[in-house]
Amino acid sequence: MSAITPPARVTVVGAGIVGTAIAFRLAARGADVTVIDAGDPGRGASEVSFAWINARDKNPWAYHDLNRRSLDMWDRFARELGEDVGLTWGGELRWTATQAGAADLIARVRLLQSWGYPIILLDEAGVRQLEPDLRAGPVTAASFSTADGHVDTGRVIAACLDRVESGGGVVRSQTQVTGFRLTPTKPEGEARITVVETTAGSFPCDAVVLSVGPDSTEVAALAGVELPLHHTFGATIVTDPVGPLFRQAAVVQTASDAQPQVSFRQFGDGRVMIHGGDSATERASAGQSDAEVQQLFAAAANIVPALADTRIGAVRRGRRPIPQDGKPILGFTRAVPNLYVAAMHSGVTLAPLVSEMAAHEILDDVEIELLTPYRLRRFAQALA
């Protein structure tokens, strides 16, 4: 891929948090950006996401470090957007109820401390002191990671698209990509995308960013590119507004030994998002049926009694993208050298870093060394 001199024509396929963040960065650099989404912006995996900003459960160290770097970029990213995106800090609190769970939690905290992550161990008294209104039940061990936070993904996506459009870019929703027109180049003999074909017409381009979450595999195949990606079911419950639930923590979670496992965060307007299942794993979330939603909500109200005074306002269900090895797929493809792929599970945490680095790689003809472990070519090398 050679450098594209602005005003480059870049088509971004996918209006989730990662795609729109990249579009925002490209537009800020002077690129001519078109964003295309098959539905409405932010209505896919980004809407379902629990949106916990963290590096707590990311392995190995290099992937933890990538997430930690992006976590530390969120304040600057929000300032650059220039709008209130519901960015909330306060840390993440979790606790265990069994001795086996305590051993796992303590081991993880010690490892994270050795990596320099700001996390501490608490006992039952420490949990009560930090969040006295919780009904935690038996506590064998607890942790509090002080740097963690959360964000309103809908506000982030809207702010990114506002900035794209105010800079002269185009946003096309309800527009399905139907194919790509590839043109051979000389002397390399490569085929590059020159036109994105859609249900709303053709869009000439110099480069394409593909960030359509769980649909990335199908859309990439239209250009002859194979992406090793699958998806799992995700669900989150959003309540009607309620008064402040937590004294300090931004995210509260029962640990993996809890049945059922429950996670909480509260928006600035008082709504509470509830997630069932471990946000850091690839397992399907609780909430596939209405009965399961009611069971999860009852369990949540048992831990946070103030929830008994509110109602479920919405249940968000969808698919979450998971690369085959669980790590992001980032960068230009070898088969189509102006097709840039951005597919990952931890899109909310990684959006500030990925968007900034993707803009450099697309516009400045550089390969950022930090992203080397996340290239698509690693899968071909693993099979060689």
mmCIF file with all atom_site columns, all heavy atoms in Angstrom, residues 288-304:
data_model
loop_
_atom_site.group_PDB
_atom_site.id
_atom_site.type_symbol
_atom_site.label_atom_id
_atom_site.label_alt_id
_atom_site.label_comp_id
_atom_site.label_asym_id
_atom_site.label_entity_id
_atom_site.label_seq_id
_atom_site.pdbx_PDB_ins_code
_atom_site.Cartn_x
_atom_site.Cartn_y
_atom_site.Cartn_z
_atom_site.occupancy
_atom_site.B_iso_or_equiv
_atom_site.pdbx_formal_charge
_atom_site.auth_seq_id
_atom_site.auth_comp_id
_atom_site.auth_asym_id
_atom_site.auth_atom_id
_atom_site.pdbx_PDB_model_num
ATOM 1   N N   . GLN A 1 288 ? -31.177 -14.828 26.024 1.00 0.00 ? 288 GLN A N   1
ATOM 2   C CA  . GLN A 1 288 ? -31.692 -15.235 24.721 1.00 0.00 ? 288 GLN A CA  1
ATOM 3   C C   . GLN A 1 288 ? -33.217 -15.330 24.722 1.00 0.00 ? 288 GLN A C   1
ATOM 4   O O   . GLN A 1 288 ? -33.852 -15.131 23.693 1.00 0.00 ? 288 GLN A O   1
ATOM 5   C CB  . GLN A 1 288 ? -31.064 -16.564 24.301 1.00 0.00 ? 288 GLN A CB  1
ATOM 6   C CG  . GLN A 1 288 ? -29.552 -16.483 24.132 1.00 0.00 ? 288 GLN A CG  1
ATOM 7   C CD  . GLN A 1 288 ? -28.992 -17.667 23.360 1.00 0.00 ? 288 GLN A CD  1
ATOM 8   O OE1 . GLN A 1 288 ? -29.519 -18.056 22.328 1.00 0.00 ? 288 GLN A OE1 1
ATOM 9   N NE2 . GLN A 1 288 ? -27.912 -18.236 23.864 1.00 0.00 ? 288 GLN A NE2 1
ATOM 10  N N   . SER A 1 289 ? -33.822 -15.648 25.861 1.00 0.00 ? 289 SER A N   1
ATOM 11  C CA  . SER A 1 289 ? -35.270 -15.733 25.952 1.00 0.00 ? 289 SER A CA  1
ATOM 12  C C   . SER A 1 289 ? -35.779 -14.696 26.941 1.00 0.00 ? 289 SER A C   1
ATOM 13  O O   . SER A 1 289 ? -35.033 -14.208 27.800 1.00 0.00 ? 289 SER A O   1
ATOM 14  C CB  . SER A 1 289 ? -35.689 -17.130 26.420 1.00 0.00 ? 289 SER A CB  1
ATOM 15  O OG  . SER A 1 289 ? -35.293 -17.337 27.768 1.00 0.00 ? 289 SER A OG  1
ATOM 16  N N   . ASP A 1 290 ? -37.076 -14.377 26.860 1.00 0.00 ? 290 ASP A N   1
ATOM 17  C CA  . ASP A 1 290 ? -37.669 -13.431 27.798 1.00 0.00 ? 290 ASP A CA  1
ATOM 18  C C   . ASP A 1 290 ? -37.618 -13.968 29.226 1.00 0.00 ? 290 ASP A C   1
ATOM 19  O O   . ASP A 1 290 ? -37.417 -13.212 30.185 1.00 0.00 ? 290 ASP A O   1
ATOM 20  C CB  . ASP A 1 290 ? -39.115 -13.130 27.399 1.00 0.00 ? 290 ASP A CB  1
ATOM 21  C CG  . ASP A 1 290 ? -39.203 -12.339 26.098 1.00 0.00 ? 290 ASP A CG  1
ATOM 22  O OD1 . ASP A 1 290 ? -38.176 -11.749 25.696 1.00 0.00 ? 290 ASP A OD1 1
ATOM 23  O OD2 . ASP A 1 290 ? -40.287 -12.308 25.494 1.00 0.00 ? 290 ASP A OD2 1
ATOM 24  N N   . ALA A 1 291 ? -37.780 -15.280 29.382 1.00 0.00 ? 291 ALA A N   1
ATOM 25  C CA  . ALA A 1 291 ? -37.709 -15.876 30.716 1.00 0.00 ? 291 ALA A CA  1
ATOM 26  C C   . ALA A 1 291 ? -36.307 -15.708 31.295 1.00 0.00 ? 291 ALA A C   1
ATOM 27  O O   . ALA A 1 291 ? -36.149 -15.407 32.491 1.00 0.00 ? 291 ALA A O   1
ATOM 28  C CB  . ALA A 1 291 ? -38.086 -17.349 30.654 1.00 0.00 ? 291 ALA A CB  1
ATOM 29  N N   . GLU A 1 292 ? -35.301 -15.875 30.459 1.00 0.00 ? 292 GLU A N   1
ATOM 30  C CA  . GLU A 1 292 ? -33.922 -15.716 30.927 1.00 0.00 ? 292 GLU A CA  1
ATOM 31  C C   . GLU A 1 292 ? -33.649 -14.265 31.305 1.00 0.00 ? 292 GLU A C   1
ATOM 32  O O   . GLU A 1 292 ? -32.926 -13.985 32.269 1.00 0.00 ? 292 GLU A O   1
ATOM 33  C CB  . GLU A 1 292 ? -32.950 -16.185 29.836 1.00 0.00 ? 292 GLU A CB  1
ATOM 34  C CG  . GLU A 1 292 ? -31.560 -16.481 30.337 1.00 0.00 ? 292 GLU A CG  1
ATOM 35  C CD  . GLU A 1 292 ? -30.690 -17.130 29.280 1.00 0.00 ? 292 GLU A CD  1
ATOM 36  O OE1 . GLU A 1 292 ? -30.976 -16.952 28.073 1.00 0.00 ? 292 GLU A OE1 1
ATOM 37  O OE2 . GLU A 1 292 ? -29.735 -17.811 29.655 1.00 0.00 ? 292 GLU A OE2 1
ATOM 38  N N   . VAL A 1 293 ? -34.217 -13.329 30.553 1.00 0.00 ? 293 VAL A N   1
ATOM 39  C CA  . VAL A 1 293 ? -34.082 -11.906 30.891 1.00 0.00 ? 293 VAL A CA  1
ATOM 40  C C   . VAL A 1 293 ? -34.674 -11.632 32.269 1.00 0.00 ? 293 VAL A C   1
ATOM 41  O O   . VAL A 1 293 ? -34.069 -10.944 33.100 1.00 0.00 ? 293 VAL A O   1
ATOM 42  C CB  . VAL A 1 293 ? -34.770 -11.034 29.817 1.00 0.00 ? 293 VAL A CB  1
ATOM 43  C CG1 . VAL A 1 293 ? -34.928 -9.597  30.306 1.00 0.00 ? 293 VAL A CG1 1
ATOM 44  C CG2 . VAL A 1 293 ? -33.971 -11.065 28.521 1.00 0.00 ? 293 VAL A CG2 1
ATOM 45  N N   . GLN A 1 294 ? -35.852 -12.155 32.545 1.00 0.00 ? 294 GLN A N   1
ATOM 46  C CA  . GLN A 1 294 ? -36.493 -11.925 33.834 1.00 0.00 ? 294 GLN A CA  1
ATOM 47  C C   . GLN A 1 294 ? -35.688 -12.544 34.971 1.00 0.00 ? 294 GLN A C   1
ATOM 48  O O   . GLN A 1 294 ? -35.571 -11.949 36.063 1.00 0.00 ? 294 GLN A O   1
ATOM 49  C CB  . GLN A 1 294 ? -37.919 -12.488 33.826 1.00 0.00 ? 294 GLN A CB  1
ATOM 50  C CG  . GLN A 1 294 ? -38.874 -11.746 32.906 1.00 0.00 ? 294 GLN A CG  1
ATOM 51  C CD  . GLN A 1 294 ? -39.046 -10.272 33.286 1.00 0.00 ? 294 GLN A CD  1
ATOM 52  O OE1 . GLN A 1 294 ? -39.006 -9.911  34.467 1.00 0.00 ? 294 GLN A OE1 1
ATOM 53  N NE2 . GLN A 1 294 ? -39.248 -9.423  32.280 1.00 0.00 ? 294 GLN A NE2 1
ATOM 54  N N   . GLN A 1 295 ? -35.116 -13.710 34.752 1.00 0.00 ? 295 GLN A N   1
ATOM 55  C CA  . GLN A 1 295 ? -34.281 -14.350 35.767 1.00 0.00 ? 295 GLN A CA  1
ATOM 56  C C   . GLN A 1 295 ? -33.036 -13.517 36.048 1.00 0.00 ? 295 GLN A C   1
ATOM 57  O O   . GLN A 1 295 ? -32.644 -13.330 37.211 1.00 0.00 ? 295 GLN A O   1
ATOM 58  C CB  . GLN A 1 295 ? -33.889 -15.750 35.312 1.00 0.00 ? 295 GLN A CB  1
ATOM 59  C CG  . GLN A 1 295 ? -35.043 -16.736 35.275 1.00 0.00 ? 295 GLN A CG  1
ATOM 60  C CD  . GLN A 1 295 ? -34.677 -18.031 34.575 1.00 0.00 ? 295 GLN A CD  1
ATOM 61  O OE1 . GLN A 1 295 ? -33.556 -18.217 34.100 1.00 0.00 ? 295 GLN A OE1 1
ATOM 62  N NE2 . GLN A 1 295 ? -35.635 -18.946 34.495 1.00 0.00 ? 295 GLN A NE2 1
ATOM 63  N N   . LEU A 1 296 ? -32.423 -12.992 34.984 1.00 0.00 ? 296 LEU A N   1
ATOM 64  C CA  . LEU A 1 296 ? -31.229 -12.172 35.153 1.00 0.00 ? 296 LEU A CA  1
ATOM 65  C C   . LEU A 1 296 ? -31.562 -10.886 35.886 1.00 0.00 ? 296 LEU A C   1
ATOM 66  O O   . LEU A 1 296 ? -30.823 -10.454 36.796 1.00 0.00 ? 296 LEU A O   1
ATOM 67  C CB  . LEU A 1 296 ? -30.625 -11.864 33.783 1.00 0.00 ? 296 LEU A CB  1
ATOM 68  C CG  . LEU A 1 296 ? -29.397 -10.944 33.785 1.00 0.00 ? 296 LEU A CG  1
ATOM 69  C CD1 . LEU A 1 296 ? -28.251 -11.545 34.581 1.00 0.00 ? 296 LEU A CD1 1
ATOM 70  C CD2 . LEU A 1 296 ? -28.953 -10.651 32.346 1.00 0.00 ? 296 LEU A CD2 1
ATOM 71  N N   . PHE A 1 297 ? -32.684 -10.264 35.536 1.00 0.00 ? 297 PHE A N   1
ATOM 72  C CA  . PHE A 1 297 ? -33.072 -9.024  36.192 1.00 0.00 ? 297 PHE A CA  1
ATOM 73  C C   . PHE A 1 297 ? -33.373 -9.252  37.674 1.00 0.00 ? 297 PHE A C   1
ATOM 74  O O   . PHE A 1 297 ? -33.013 -8.434  38.531 1.00 0.00 ? 297 PHE A O   1
ATOM 75  C CB  . PHE A 1 297 ? -34.281 -8.410  35.492 1.00 0.00 ? 297 PHE A CB  1
ATOM 76  C CG  . PHE A 1 297 ? -34.671 -7.066  36.032 1.00 0.00 ? 297 PHE A CG  1
ATOM 77  C CD1 . PHE A 1 297 ? -33.866 -5.958  35.840 1.00 0.00 ? 297 PHE A CD1 1
ATOM 78  C CD2 . PHE A 1 297 ? -35.857 -6.908  36.742 1.00 0.00 ? 297 PHE A CD2 1
ATOM 79  C CE1 . PHE A 1 297 ? -34.217 -4.714  36.345 1.00 0.00 ? 297 PHE A CE1 1
ATOM 80  C CE2 . PHE A 1 297 ? -36.226 -5.674  37.247 1.00 0.00 ? 297 PHE A CE2 1
ATOM 81  C CZ  . PHE A 1 297 ? -35.400 -4.566  37.052 1.00 0.00 ? 297 PHE A CZ  1
ATOM 82  N N   . ALA A 1 298 ? -34.014 -10.371 37.998 1.00 0.00 ? 298 ALA A N   1
ATOM 83  C CA  . ALA A 1 298 ? -34.285 -10.684 39.397 1.00 0.00 ? 298 ALA A CA  1
ATOM 84  C C   . ALA A 1 298 ? -32.990 -10.892 40.174 1.00 0.00 ? 298 ALA A C   1
ATOM 85  O O   . ALA A 1 298 ? -32.854 -10.434 41.321 1.00 0.00 ? 298 ALA A O   1
ATOM 86  C CB  . ALA A 1 298 ? -35.161 -11.937 39.488 1.00 0.00 ? 298 ALA A CB  1
ATOM 87  N N   . ALA A 1 299 ? -32.031 -11.567 39.556 1.00 0.00 ? 299 ALA A N   1
ATOM 88  C CA  . ALA A 1 299 ? -30.736 -11.767 40.211 1.00 0.00 ? 299 ALA A CA  1
ATOM 89  C C   . ALA A 1 299 ? -30.026 -10.433 40.409 1.00 0.00 ? 299 ALA A C   1
ATOM 90  O O   . ALA A 1 299 ? -29.398 -10.192 41.450 1.00 0.00 ? 299 ALA A O   1
ATOM 91  C CB  . ALA A 1 299 ? -29.872 -12.704 39.371 1.00 0.00 ? 299 ALA A CB  1
ATOM 92  N N   . ALA A 1 300 ? -30.130 -9.527  39.417 1.00 0.00 ? 300 ALA A N   1
ATOM 93  C CA  . ALA A 1 300 ? -29.502 -8.215  39.528 1.00 0.00 ? 300 ALA A CA  1
ATOM 94  C C   . ALA A 1 300 ? -30.128 -7.405  40.657 1.00 0.00 ? 300 ALA A C   1
ATOM 95  O O   . ALA A 1 300 ? -29.423 -6.749  41.442 1.00 0.00 ? 300 ALA A O   1
ATOM 96  C CB  . ALA A 1 300 ? -29.629 -7.468  38.203 1.00 0.00 ? 300 ALA A CB  1
ATOM 97  N N   . ALA A 1 301 ? -31.457 -7.453  40.779 1.00 0.00 ? 301 ALA A N   1
ATOM 98  C CA  . ALA A 1 301 ? -32.141 -6.701  41.833 1.00 0.00 ? 301 ALA A CA  1
ATOM 99  C C   . ALA A 1 301 ? -31.817 -7.256  43.209 1.00 0.00 ? 301 ALA A C   1
ATOM 100 O O   . ALA A 1 301 ? -31.858 -6.523  44.210 1.00 0.00 ? 301 ALA A O   1
ATOM 101 C CB  . ALA A 1 301 ? -33.648 -6.725  41.592 1.00 0.00 ? 301 ALA A CB  1
ATOM 102 N N   . ASN A 1 302 ? -31.479 -8.528  43.285 1.00 0.00 ? 302 ASN A N   1
ATOM 103 C CA  . ASN A 1 302 ? -31.088 -9.118  44.566 1.00 0.00 ? 302 ASN A CA  1
ATOM 104 C C   . ASN A 1 302 ? -29.740 -8.572  45.029 1.00 0.00 ? 302 ASN A C   1
ATOM 105 O O   . ASN A 1 302 ? -29.494 -8.429  46.232 1.00 0.00 ? 302 ASN A O   1
ATOM 106 C CB  . ASN A 1 302 ? -31.023 -10.640 44.435 1.00 0.00 ? 302 ASN A CB  1
ATOM 107 C CG  . ASN A 1 302 ? -30.811 -11.322 45.760 1.00 0.00 ? 302 ASN A CG  1
ATOM 108 O OD1 . ASN A 1 302 ? -31.547 -11.096 46.721 1.00 0.00 ? 302 ASN A OD1 1
ATOM 109 N ND2 . ASN A 1 302 ? -29.782 -12.158 45.850 1.00 0.00 ? 302 ASN A ND2 1
ATOM 110 N N   . ILE A 1 303 ? -28.863 -8.235  44.063 1.00 0.00 ? 303 ILE A N   1
ATOM 111 C CA  . ILE A 1 303 ? -27.546 -7.680  44.395 1.00 0.00 ? 303 ILE A CA  1
ATOM 112 C C   . ILE A 1 303 ? -27.626 -6.176  44.603 1.00 0.00 ? 303 ILE A C   1
ATOM 113 O O   . ILE A 1 303 ? -26.978 -5.615  45.496 1.00 0.00 ? 303 ILE A O   1
ATOM 114 C CB  . ILE A 1 303 ? -26.544 -8.027  43.264 1.00 0.00 ? 303 ILE A CB  1
ATOM 115 C CG1 . ILE A 1 303 ? -26.376 -9.545  43.137 1.00 0.00 ? 303 ILE A CG1 1
ATOM 116 C CG2 . ILE A 1 303 ? -25.191 -7.365  43.529 1.00 0.00 ? 303 ILE A CG2 1
ATOM 117 C CD1 . ILE A 1 303 ? -25.664 -9.962  41.874 1.00 0.00 ? 303 ILE A CD1 1
ATOM 118 N N   . VAL A 1 304 ? -28.425 -5.507  43.775 1.00 0.00 ? 304 VAL A N   1
ATOM 119 C CA  . VAL A 1 304 ? -28.588 -4.050  43.851 1.00 0.00 ? 304 VAL A CA  1
ATOM 120 C C   . VAL A 1 304 ? -30.064 -3.780  44.143 1.00 0.00 ? 304 VAL A C   1
ATOM 121 O O   . VAL A 1 304 ? -30.885 -3.647  43.226 1.00 0.00 ? 304 VAL A O   1
ATOM 122 C CB  . VAL A 1 304 ? -28.157 -3.365  42.538 1.00 0.00 ? 304 VAL A CB  1
ATOM 123 C CG1 . VAL A 1 304 ? -28.285 -1.851  42.654 1.00 0.00 ? 304 VAL A CG1 1
ATOM 124 C CG2 . VAL A 1 304 ? -26.727 -3.738  42.184 1.00 0.00 ? 304 VAL A CG2 1
#
